[in-house]
Amino acid sequence: KVFDKTQITNRLHYAALITERNTLLQLHFLSFPRILFSTLFPRLHFAFQTPSALCLVLDYYSGGSLAQRLQLGCLSEGTVAF
C-alpha cells in the first residue's frame, strides 16, 4: 500500500494510517494458529516512507480490499462463507 503524503490532510487520517500499521504489526506477534493468521490477515513485512509517500509492504491477496468489493454491491452468501 502506498499513501501519498499530500493526500493526508488531517490528523484523523494520519492517525488511521498509523493505527493500521500498528495493528498489522501487532497481529504478527499474536499466537493465532498459523492457518487462521495467514488466511485472514495480510502480513506486514516492512513500513517505510519516502519524501512523498508512506509505504506498507504487505502480503498480496488477489481480489482487492473489502472496501473495494463492497463498492460493487452486496456480496453473496457463498462469497462471504468460510
Side-chain angles (χ1 to χ4, degrees), residues 2 10 16 18 23 26 30 37-38 42 46 48-49 53 55-56 58 62 70-72 79:
V2 178
N10 62 42
I18 298 302
T23 301
Q26 289 174 359
L30 293 176
F37 178 79
S38 65
F46 302 101
F48 61 94
Q49 60 181 315
C55 305
L56 301 177
L58 306 167
S62 63
L70 290 174
Q71 287 177 351
L72 300 174
T79 301

Side-chain angles (χ1 to χ4, degrees), residues 5-77:
K5 286 183 177 180
T6 63
Q7 299 299 314
I8 303 170
T9 57
N10 62 42
R11 286 180 174 231
L12 290 176
H13 191 197
Y14 178 77
L17 295 175
I18 298 302
T19 300
E20 181 177 358
R21 184 209 56 182
N22 291 342
T23 301
L24 289 168
L25 184 61
Q26 289 174 359
L27 283 172
H28 178 67
F29 293 106
L30 293 176
S31 57
F32 284 119
R34 194 67 188 150
I35 187 70
L36 177 65
F37 178 79
S38 65
T39 57
L40 294 179
F41 305 108
R43 182 175 176 202
L44 176 65
H45 294 276
F46 302 101
F48 61 94
Q49 60 181 315
T50 68
S52 61
L54 300 173
C55 305
L56 301 177
V57 180
L58 306 167
D59 286 338
Y60 175 75
Y61 290 107
S62 63
S65 71
L66 179 59
Q68 291 169 332
R69 294 292 305 264
L70 290 174
Q71 287 177 351
L72 300 174
C74 293
L75 301 175
S76 69
E77 185 176 340

